[in-house]
Amino acid sequence: MQPRVLVIVGVGLIGGSIGFAVRRNGGMRVLGLDDDAAALLRAKENGIVDEVCTDLGAAAFAADLMLFCTPVDRIADKVLAAAPACRPGTVLSDVGSTKVGILSRLHGRLPSDVQFVGGHPLAGSEKQGSSSADANLFRGRLVILTPTTPETDIGAVTAVSSFWERIGARVLRMSPEAHDHAMALTSHLPHLIASALAGLLPPELTSLTANGFRDTTRVASGDPRLWTAILEANRDEILSALSGFEDRVREFRTALETADHDRLQFLLQAGRERRSAIANDT
Amino acid sequence: MQPRVLVIVGVGLIGGSIGFAVRRNGGMRVLGLDDDAAALLRAKENGIVDEVCTDLGAAAFAADLMLFCTPVDRIADKVLAAAPACRPGTVLSDVGSTKVGILSRLHGRLPSDVQFVGGHPLAGSEKQGSSSADANLFRGRLVILTPTTPETDIGAVTAVSSFWERIGARVLRMSPEAHDHAMALTSHLPHLIASALAGLLPPELTSLTANGFRDTTRVASGDPRLWTAILEANRDEILSALSGFEDRVREFRTALETADHDRLQFLLQAGRERRSAIANDT
């Protein structure tokens, strides 16, 4: 059965894009909440939600499906605050970039008739706020769900999967641990590296950057507050991925220092092969 | 006076795009050379050159302007081989990503009536070959010229500047040393980093990459042979830029390891500020 009332907690870029996509599709009433009253008003003005609400308990009681779209460090608190007010059978999910920490904070603390399914759409932007919301942000994109089987009810997982598929996403299930391990390498480490590189650019060289620098550092424009929370939430996996990266950079350094032409070309070739696999996969 | 015969030595992506742009503009006959006979034939078929030529001396004699668009490690040799066959007043230039090495190899070895002006268009692509050539590749882009004043004739610099401006580029002059110093940070180091990151991706995570990873590693698809030559040609400047990057990454590591929230956010903020300056500059 398709949920009739969707509550979006946090109407930033992701929450806003979900609201847009759902309202365009029709069939659900969209209620928005946000601690930032101005952001909430903008969301209503931008047509991202049908209604705004400032009381989490009232919204939770109205919800068939609640999606938590706040920064990762606030998701568990919001879920714990909302869940007791939910009607039996309400399904809760989130869009947080890390999963293990959130799920371990929720473990054993939710009412037995309310289900939480961890989720993470692999879509986003360095932009922020509902003004940049895009109804097509999730079209063709992957959403990872991390049900902690056998605890997570199959019906709840199906409801969240169907929700994402209706707005054009593909759904993949994996364990929270596998998710956080993968994202450390595919998303969090690249962000750290892009930020480190961007931070090195002296102002006088700004106009000498071309597409290479711009692409390599694009994600560094992301919100520092959001990304501090993400890096902290997945610290151990990121430190481990970072060690692998530092080793690889050291290999490049040694090849350059020792003028090892073949080794340098081999390293560049390895990078190209892995990168080209992505292009073919898309 | 506008040159009438342009000789392009090396009809890959850059040489091919120049040929395309010039032929679209009209006014010059374009002669192409390439050590790769198949590439040369493709360039003719693709309409990138008016004529192909296999004899460097004959082409040099016909040229008013010669542009060397081979990999950086072959430019100086080609220039030295061509220059003695040039008519007095012929202007030579190149598109190499590094300048100091090429200019020092040419220093004092060219006929006195032939002028070489080092050049580097800040445009390119991870794609290769004249099949990917694009007549608009240089439109609005910066071309750096590195005349070694007072040795380089003003007339020659003006001729090369005017040439690039006619196909839509903006021209900036700087010393070869300043050029190589800047490019180490804005182009060569990002390539090395993107390649190191891409090379870490295990095949099973390919499908879990989203735009962030894809953008951050896009340049890693570049030709390893071309990039080995570039990294080698600007080794000292790149090693120095790499040291700065390693220091910055170490700061991120320490902030993560010591759970220094404020420091982590400060580092991310610094990256964002520098990256946003680029966006505003474009």
Side-chain angles (χ1 to χ4, degrees), chain A residues 122 128 141-142 144 172 174 182-183 185-186 189-203 205-225 227-228 231-232 235 238-239 241-246 248-249 252-253 256-259 261 264-265 267-272 274-278 281-282, chain B residues 122 128 141-142 144 172 174 182-183 185-186 189-203 205-225 227-228 231-232 235 238-239 241-246 248-249 252-253 256-259 261 264-265 267-272 274-278 281-282:
Chain A
L122 303 192
Q128 293 154 44
R141 299 302 178 79
L142 204 60
I144 299 176
L172 184 73
M174 59 172 71
M183 290 305 119
L185 187 62
T186 59
L189 177 64
H191 193 98
L192 186 160
I193 289 168
S195 181
L197 181 58
L200 287 181
L201 187 73
L205 296 189
T206 301
S207 62
L208 297 181
T209 57
N211 285 346
F213 192 91
R214 291 165 195 217
D215 286 349
T216 310
T217 59
R218 182 183 62 79
V219 295
S221 295
D223 183 350
R225 153 138 176 66
W227 276 94
T228 301
L231 297 185
E232 286 174 336
R235 188 178 87 137
I238 294 168
L239 283 172
L242 181 56
S243 294
F245 174 75
E246 289 166 325
R248 180 62 66 113
V249 166
F252 269 99
R253 169 177 278 288
L256 268 175
E257 284 174 345
T258 61
H261 177 89
L264 194 53
Q265 189 160 330
L267 289 167
L268 290 168
Q269 182 65 37
R272 169 149 91 161
R274 298 306 314 130
R275 183 58 183 78
S276 301
I278 293 179
D281 189 74
T282 313
Chain B
L122 304 193
Q128 291 154 45
R141 300 303 179 81
L142 204 59
I144 299 174
L172 185 72
M174 58 172 71
M183 292 304 120
L185 186 61
T186 58
L189 177 64
H191 193 98
L192 186 160
I193 289 167
S195 181
L197 181 59
L200 288 180
L201 186 74
L205 296 188
T206 301
S207 61
L208 297 182
T209 57
N211 284 347
F213 192 92
R214 291 166 196 218
D215 285 349
T216 311
T217 58
R218 182 184 63 79
V219 296
S221 296
D223 183 349
R225 156 140 174 61
W227 277 94
T228 302
L231 297 185
E232 288 175 335
R235 189 177 88 137
I238 294 168
L239 283 171
L242 181 57
S243 294
F245 175 75
E246 288 166 326
R248 181 62 65 117
V249 167
F252 269 99
R253 169 177 281 286
L256 269 174
E257 283 174 345
T258 60
H261 177 88
L264 194 53
Q265 189 159 328
L267 289 167
L268 290 167
Q269 182 65 38
R272 169 150 91 159
R274 297 307 312 131
R275 183 57 182 79
S276 302
I278 293 180
D281 190 72
T282 313

Side-chain angles (χ1 to χ4, degrees), chain B:
Chain B
M1 195 191 67
Q2 188 176 334
R4 286 166 308 168
V5 178
L6 169 68
V7 170
I8 299 174
V9 182
V11 288
L13 176 82
I14 300 291
S17 296
I18 293 171
F20 249 153
V22 168
R23 291 196 74 209
R24 187 164 291 185
N25 264 20
M28 287 174 91
R29 208 167 117 235
V30 182
L31 230 77
L33 278 93
D34 204 296
D35 287 340
D36 177 349
L40 197 54
L41 269 168
R42 268 199 307 279
K44 178 80 172 98
E45 281 164 14
N46 291 335
I48 278 164
V49 295
D50 293 297
E51 275 175 71
V52 298
C53 182
T54 53
D55 184 72
L56 185 63
F61 185 74
D64 295 307
L65 175 62
M66 282 190 95
L67 272 183
F68 294 82
C69 306
T70 66
V72 285
D73 55 343
R74 296 190 195 160
I75 290 174
D77 283 340
K78 290 285 184 196
V79 172
L80 290 171
C86 289
R87 286 175 288 115
T90 303
V91 175
L92 314 183
S93 188
D94 76 321
V95 301
S97 300
T98 65
K99 296 272 71 80
V100 173
I102 291 167
L103 287 159
S104 74
R105 284 212 49 217
L106 299 181
H107 185 71
R109 300 176 67 188
L110 295 178
S112 63
D113 53 5
V114 164
Q115 294 285 331
F116 181 87
V117 182
H120 178 209
L122 304 193
S125 167
E126 71 284 6
K127 303 196 188 98
Q128 291 154 45
S130 66
S131 316
S132 302
D134 172 5
N136 294 314
L137 187 63
F138 308 106
R139 199 149 289 282
R141 300 303 179 81
L142 204 59
V143 173
I144 299 174
L145 298 186
T146 60
T148 44
T149 319
E151 296 156 45
T152 319
D153 183 70
I154 295 289
V157 178
T158 305
V160 178
S161 292
S162 303
F163 170 81
W164 283 110
E165 286 164 358
R166 276 196 301 275
I167 60 174
R170 296 171 297 135
V171 173
L172 185 72
R173 303 180 193 188
M174 58 172 71
S175 74
E177 292 76 18
H179 170 276
D180 286 8
H181 175 75
M183 292 304 120
L185 186 61
T186 58
S187 170
H188 309 159
L189 177 64
H191 193 98
L192 186 160
I193 289 167
S195 181
L197 181 59
L200 288 180
L201 186 74
E204 66 272 19
L205 296 188
T206 301
S207 61
L208 297 182
T209 57
N211 284 347
F213 192 92
R214 291 166 196 218
D215 285 349
T216 311
T217 58
R218 182 184 63 79
V219 296
S221 296
D223 183 349
R225 156 140 174 61
L226 292 186
W227 277 94
T228 302
I230 292 169
L231 297 185
E232 288 175 335
N234 202 20
R235 189 177 88 137
D236 294 345
E237 289 286 359
I238 294 168
L239 283 171
S240 161
L242 181 57
S243 294
F245 175 75
E246 288 166 326
D247 289 347
R248 181 62 65 117
V249 167
R250 210 169 293 120
E251 286 189 68
F252 269 99
R253 169 177 281 286
T254 302
L256 269 174
E257 283 174 345
T258 60
D260 188 341
H261 177 88
D262 292 346
R263 185 71 195 153
L264 194 53
Q265 189 159 328
F266 173 85
L267 289 167
L268 290 167
Q269 182 65 38
R272 169 150 91 159
E273 276 168 21
R274 297 307 312 131
R275 183 57 182 79
S276 302
I278 293 180
N280 294 335
D281 190 72
T282 313

